[in-house]
Amino acid sequence: MSFGASVRTLLGRFERPASTAYRSLFMSAEALALTISSLSQGPRILEVGVGDGLVAQHISECCPESSMLGIDLCIQPGRMFIGDSDRVSFRQQSVHDLLLEEPAPFDLVLLLDVLHHVPESERAGIVESCGRLTAPGGLFMVKESCRVFSPAYPFFVLADRWIGGDRAVSFLAVTEVEQLVLASVEGAIPIARHRIQPWGVNVLTAFRMAATASQK
Ligand SMILES: C[S@@+](CC[C@H](N)C(=O)[O-])C[C@H]1O[C@@H](n2cnc3c(N)ncnc32)[C@H](O)[C@@H]1O
């Protein structure tokens, strides 16, 4: 168990506020959710790699008319979500397995801080599956902690390696994120790039799927 996971277990009922405060040192989840909702308010949202659901909670609050599905390989995805469970649901599932179910495509697909935790050889496959799950004309957004020149960058690396416990974490440059999506998802058109407070390390890139896209 990572150092961070051990501390979370010890915190008991204080885990939620402590996790929220810890994460806000690195990124404002409110700012991320507001940026996402300013770009898309589609009726159906998918978050791939939703984790404990704290970020999903902010997104669902900023998109009150949308339904949202969060999937993750982890045990109990969305376990910290305390929002509207009529609109938001979670499943323990990989993006590839969801794709095999052939669900109706989603208006907005989110991949938030997942890629730098995934081995390089698996990244294109995950991104491609996300693209296939996005409706023609819909949006696919990738948020990454990126490899940039910033005094904060070393702290992101240390936190993921030694507190999060992912010794294999490997950050992408901003241009590498865009190149990965463009190489993996046919019909993806970059439409926006936003830095998310409080650090320039946090970069959200949004892609619109061509209306007649046929993904690779
Ligand atoms: C650092 S967490 C990010 C959680 C959340 N998106 C957030 O921003 O707080 C990355 C998550 O991606 C999940 N993940 C990695 N590969 C995945 C895949 N192929 N399908 C679904 N989830 C995946 C991991 O289990 C992990 O929970």
Side-chain angles (χ1 to χ4, degrees):
M1 192 185 278
S2 69
F3 176 71
S6 309
V7 171
R8 283 201 301 275
T9 305
L10 287 173
L11 283 169
R13 68 194 171 92
F14 299 109
E15 180 190 358
R16 196 170 195 286
S19 285
T20 303
Y22 171 73
R23 283 184 215 187
S24 67
L25 296 174
F26 297 91
M27 186 191 69
S28 162
E30 292 88 346
L32 176 64
L34 282 169
T35 306
I36 290 170
S37 63
S38 72
L39 295 166
S40 169
Q41 285 281 343
R44 295 181 72 243
I45 301 174
L46 169 68
E47 185 182 347
V48 173
V50 70
D52 58 24
L54 278 178
V55 174
Q57 172 130 10
H58 289 283
I59 295 165
S60 71
E61 286 166 3
C62 288
C63 301
E65 305 298 324
S66 308
S67 69
M68 188 167 175
L69 170 65
I71 62 166
D72 201 297
L73 305 170
C74 69
I75 297 164
Q76 229 190 323
R79 69 192 176 82
M80 294 232 239
F81 179 88
I82 51 170
D84 182 353
S85 54
D86 289 338
R87 287 192 298 117
V88 184
S89 57
F90 298 94
R91 282 200 227 160
Q92 186 181 20
Q93 188 174 40
S94 79
V95 65
H96 308 301
D97 287 344
L98 177 62
L99 186 60
L100 289 176
E101 288 178 11
E102 299 184 4
F106 293 84
D107 306 286
L108 170 61
V109 174
L110 300 167
L111 189 63
L112 309 176
D113 281 323
V114 173
L115 290 174
H116 58 278
H117 293 290
V118 170
E120 218 174 311
S121 58
E122 294 172 26
R123 289 174 182 168
I126 290 175
V127 167
E128 182 191 350
S129 294
C130 288
R132 286 182 181 275
L133 287 160
T134 311
L139 293 184
F140 173 36
M141 296 189 202
V142 183
K143 190 271 158 181
E144 277 292 303
S145 308
C146 285
R147 198 175 69 240
V148 297
F149 287 106
S150 160
Y153 175 66
F155 294 98
F156 279 71
V157 179
L158 286 173
D160 269 337
R161 284 216 175 123
W162 299 105
I163 297 177
D166 181 358
R167 301 288 195 272
V169 70
S170 148
F171 294 83
L172 293 89
V174 178
T175 50
E176 288 172 338
V177 174
E178 187 169 307
Q179 284 161 8
L180 179 64
V181 174
L182 295 180
S184 312
V185 184
E186 195 177 313
I189 304 156
I191 58 156
R193 183 187 290 163
H194 293 272
R195 307 271 166 178
I196 308 296
Q197 297 165 10
W199 304 110
V201 176
N202 297 305
V203 183
L204 176 79
T205 313
F207 302 85
R208 185 174 296 286
M209 303 303 299
T212 55
S214 60
Q215 285 89 10
K216 272 181 190 170

